[in-house]
Each structure stands twice: as structure tokens, then as C-alpha cells.
Amino acid sequence: MKRFYFAILLLSLCVFNANAAQPDMYDCEANVTVKPSQEDCPTTESTQPNSAISKIIQDSKLEVVDYKYVRSKLGTGIRGGSLAVLIDARPTKRYNAGTIPSAIQIQDTEFDSQISRIADTPKDKEIIVFCQGYDCTKSLNVSLRLKAAGYTNVKLYQPGFPDWQKHDYIEIGTDFVSLAFDKNSALLIDARPKRKFLAETIPGAMSLPDTDFDKLKGFLPGDKTMQIITFCNGYDCKKSHFLAQKLIELGYKNVANYSAGLPGWKAASLPTTKDNSAAAKKQLITELKVPYFGPIKKGLDKGSVDSKWFVQNYQKLPKDVTLIDIRTADERALGYIEGSKHISIDDTKDIKKFIAQLPKGYVIFYCSTGTRSLEAYEKVIAAGYDKGLFLDAPVKCKGKKCNFTINEPLMPTEW
């Protein structure tokens, strides 16, 4: 522990002495308390760490990794979907303006209060820390403090966010999407199914469902430098991450994913295409003439299960009804609804093979956000299967303990 604090003191003194020779400059990334006006400092252009940083990295035996290594750990890009925990040690303004997808912010100056953000992370889980480039000391400080806190597999991505941004798509927050929206400076792409897009989206957004990418990619702009922002149904939705990665593969240079998605946009009370007037609300169907599909209570959207009925009955569904978890094995490993059967639609590309695995009787598809479950329903219906419904509700599970958020109807209709 003493060695750790000595390293921090040594590094701070090195930065202070360097700045002393240049009184008009300051190092916003040093391990000192900075004024709010000093958070927005220029990106470092160094191509290797200075001697003081290099010595501490060597003495502390921290492993330094590069872009290719970090990229191999990204996974789906969603929170909890990466193979390693990514930690962004930069100030909030920089973090919100752009970060590596799935990264969690833990500043060195706020370490004691923000370390709780990874409280559930096992001590031997791989953690990769980064900040604003080779001369940024924040990632080094956080790495050392994580090791002192007992985390045993901490690595340092010293080239940091500037290096990542040269190669790949980034994650941005609501304020910056709103700014691009106001200035009409970016193309927003909605990666959700067409039905969800038609029901409600961000005004001006283009519909490009991830499952139709190959068919619709010809509609993308010819200018590969144009700013593009992808989004879908929130932090647990990986469709927009998939789309962003495809855009990078096609050579687009300025791609960002809005991971908070439409739910985050609506939470900020920003405008959408949905008519929320009192007259429109009066037109909603409140009861269906035929309220049940077999033993399952129908929702207002075609093919949906009534969410309130589901929450009340999912632990004791009728005996001829099976709940189907269509997520990937990695997602299911984090938690699932007890009693559900796992048949991943992502891993089963052939829809006929997917249907062949379904049990007899009625089935209800569920996923993390309600988006993939809708797609599964539409695919099996198109293939001639008529015993399935979908749950249009975000599902968050830890182990076998689950919470549900009921979505509003998309396009209420009699069905």
C-alpha cells in the first residue's frame, strides 16, 4: 500500500515539475484535483508514455495492452456483454462525449465513491483501464488502486480512447445525440424491427433493422466520413452495436452508438414521432373482443402476450405453455427466468431448425428488451408456425431473480 501511494506522489511531482517550466499550461489528466474548467483539455498526441509513467508501469508490473487486444474483449458491446470489464478513468464530460462501448466510468479523483460501480465484479475478473492517451495518468492511478483493492487481473490500455477512436465505433450519451439532432449534423439509424420503428422513433431517424442489413445497406450514404449514430432499445439491446460494427467494416470513419437508445431519449423528455395527444390516446383499444390466444391473455399488439398478465402468471404458466429464452448462451449465463427453455435464435440461423426445437403446445418468446422476441415471433409466423407469442418487455435477471419493465403498446389493433 505504501508503495502505491509513493508511486502516485512521484507521478504527481513529475507532472508538476514539467508544468512548472510552462506556467501557461496545465495537465488536466494528472492525479491532482482540477477545477471544472480544466476538464476539457486537448487530446494528447504522444505515441508512447513518458519515462516517469513507464517506470511506474514497469515497477508495478502492470500489463499494457493494445487496441487489437481490447477489441478482442469487446464481445457484443453491451453492458455485461464484454469479455473483460472496461474502465474509463476520464472526467464525466469526456466520458459522456465518447467512450469505448460498455465502459464503466471510475475516475481516480472519485475512486472511493465510484468503485461501487463494479461491486459485483469478481476479484479475478479481467479489468482493462484506459483514459486519454499515453501521457494520461488517470488510468494508471485507477489501475494501481484497483490492484490495492484486491483485483488481481488488471491491465492498462495506455494508448487509451484516442487510439480506440481511430479504429472503431464509440459510445455516446444523450446530451451529445441531442446536440447532433439539433444541429442536424448526423444520420441517426434505428436498428430495431420495422414495426417498432413505425410505432415510435427519434424524428428523422432512418430504419435499418440489423437483420436486414445486407438487404438495405445500399441505402447508406456514400460519404464514409459522415457522422452516423446507431441506436435501438436501450443498454441491453445489442442490435445497434452489431450495426455499428458492420458500418466500421464497410469503411465508415465516424460511427457512434447511442447505447441508452430510445428509452434514454424518452427519459430525457426529448421529442419522438409518436402522437401522444389526448385524442390519440382515446383511440387506443382498451379491451380485445377475443382476449385470449389459447390459454394466454393477448396484448394489444398483434402477437404479444399481455405483459401484466405475464408478470402475474409467469411462475405458474398453464401446463401447455412454455417460455422460450431466445438469447445467447452468454446472456443466459448471467440469469434467466426459472422454468424457461433456452433456444437461441442468434445461434440457430435456420428458422426451420429453430422451430423444430420448439416444444409442443404454446410458446412465449422473451429476450432482454422485447426487440428480439418480436423478431422471433415475426420469423416463425412467416415460416408457418402459429403457436407462438412474444413478450414485449425488458427482462433483467440476476441468477433466477428477474425484474420486468412493461412496454407501452406499439400499434394497438384487434387481432
Side-chain angles (χ1 to χ4, degrees):
M1 184 66 72
K2 289 182 179 179
R3 182 178 181 181
F4 159 70
Y5 285 113
F6 176 75
I8 297 297
L9 176 62
L10 174 63
L11 189 56
S12 299
L13 288 172
C14 289
V15 173
F16 176 80
N17 289 336
N19 287 342
Q22 304 177 58
D24 294 331
M25 301 291 290
Y26 61 85
D27 186 305
C28 70
E29 310 291 3
N31 185 45
V32 294
T33 302
V34 296
K35 297 178 181 179
S37 61
Q38 295 176 340
E39 286 191 351
D40 191 20
C41 35
T43 301
T44 177
E45 294 298 334
S46 299
T47 57
Q48 59 184 11
N50 62 45
S51 57
I53 293 175
S54 295
K55 187 176 188 308
I56 295 175
I57 291 174
Q58 184 177 1
D59 290 347
S60 59
K61 298 181 179 179
L62 272 171
E63 182 179 347
V64 178
V65 296
D66 59 10
Y67 161 76
K68 287 185 178 180
Y69 184 86
V70 179
R71 189 64 180 80
S72 71
K73 300 294 181 176
L74 187 65
T76 60
I78 64 172
R79 308 284 170 93
S82 57
L83 303 179
V85 176
L86 300 176
I87 301 294
D88 188 337
R90 301 173 304 152
T92 299
K93 183 186 290 187
R94 283 193 177 274
Y95 175 76
N96 289 337
T99 189
I100 298 175
S102 81
I104 299 167
Q105 184 199 29
I106 299 180
Q107 293 176 252
D108 61 340
T109 53
E110 304 292 335
F111 184 88
D112 290 336
S113 61
Q114 294 179 355
I115 184 63
S116 60
R117 294 174 179 176
I118 59 169
D120 295 334
T121 301
K123 294 291 186 176
D124 60 350
K125 177 74 173 180
E126 183 176 18
I127 298 176
I128 301 174
V129 190
F130 67 94
C131 58
Q132 195 64 23
Y134 283 101
D135 288 336
C136 175
T137 64
K138 287 182 172 292
S139 54
L140 178 55
N141 295 340
V142 169
S143 297
L144 293 173
R145 295 199 67 174
L146 285 170
K147 290 186 70 174
Y151 290 93
T152 59
N153 192 7
V154 181
K155 295 181 174 64
L156 187 64
Y157 179 32
Q158 193 61 24
F161 181 72
D163 181 63
W164 177 272
Q165 194 171 21
K166 291 176 183 177
H167 300 285
D168 225 310
Y169 78 103
I170 65 172
E171 180 178 305
I172 58 176
T174 301
D175 289 345
F176 291 86
V177 180
S178 178
L179 181 63
F181 175 83
D182 291 339
K183 292 185 175 182
N184 196 28
S185 60
L187 171 63
L188 276 70
I189 300 182
D190 188 338
R192 301 173 304 150
K194 190 67 175 285
R195 198 203 297 192
K196 284 185 175 285
F197 169 83
L198 291 174
E200 184 175 25
T201 191
I202 299 174
M206 168 186 175
S207 175
L208 182 53
D210 67 316
T211 51
D212 293 330
F213 181 81
D214 290 335
K215 182 171 64 177
L216 299 176
K217 63 184 179 182
F219 290 97
L220 291 167
D223 182 2
K224 294 296 178 71
T225 65
M226 184 177 185
Q227 183 179 12
I228 299 178
I229 300 173
T230 59
F231 69 94
C232 56
N233 210 42
Y235 287 107
D236 292 324
C237 183
K238 64 182 183 180
K239 290 179 169 296
S240 55
H241 289 274
F242 172 85
L243 204 60
Q245 292 181 32
K246 284 292 186 181
L247 290 169
I248 291 294
E249 290 173 9
L250 286 180
Y252 287 91
K253 306 297 184 184
N254 194 2
V255 181
N257 185 63
Y258 176 35
S259 297
L262 187 63
W265 185 264
K266 292 169 66 176
S269 300
L270 292 164
T272 72
T273 57
K274 187 175 182 179
D275 185 354
N276 289 311
S277 66
K281 289 181 179 179
K282 286 183 179 179
Q283 294 177 5
L284 292 177
I285 298 173
T286 56
E287 291 184 8
L288 296 171
K289 293 178 181 177
V290 182
Y292 281 85
F293 179 76
I296 305 169
K297 188 172 182 181
K298 298 192 295 187
L300 296 181
D301 290 311
K302 184 178 180 180
S304 68
V305 59
D306 183 276
S307 297
K308 291 182 179 179
W309 177 89
F310 178 84
V311 171
Q312 293 171 354
N313 294 278
Y314 76 95
Q315 292 177 317
K316 52 181 186 302
L317 289 171
K319 61 180 181 180
D320 57 344
V321 177
T322 306
L323 188 58
I324 305 296
D325 181 352
I326 62 167
R327 303 171 302 158
T328 63
D330 289 343
E331 291 176 289
R332 185 172 173 87
L334 299 175
Y336 58 91
I337 300 176
E338 188 172 8
S340 63
K341 181 178 178 64
H342 182 230
I343 308 175
S344 173
I345 198 163
D346 292 310
D347 297 336
T348 311
K349 303 300 182 183
D350 188 329
I351 194 63
K352 291 184 178 180
K353 290 182 178 179
F354 176 78
I355 292 173
Q357 297 178 66
L358 296 175
K360 293 181 179 180
Y362 296 88
V363 300
I364 300 173
F365 303 119
Y366 88 90
C367 62
S368 299
T369 67
T371 303
R372 279 177 286 170
S373 59
L374 167 59
E375 281 186 341
Y377 165 78
E378 291 179 337
K379 286 180 179 179
V380 299
I381 288 294
Y385 182 83
D386 62 356
K387 293 290 187 180
L389 295 180
F390 72 97
L391 176 65
D392 189 11
V395 180
K396 289 185 178 294
C397 298
K398 284 188 176 182
K400 296 180 182 179
K401 184 177 181 181
C402 301
N403 294 315
F404 307 87
T405 303
I406 298 173
N407 286 337
E408 294 181 8
L410 299 173
M411 293 181 286
T413 185
E414 189 72 47
W415 63 283

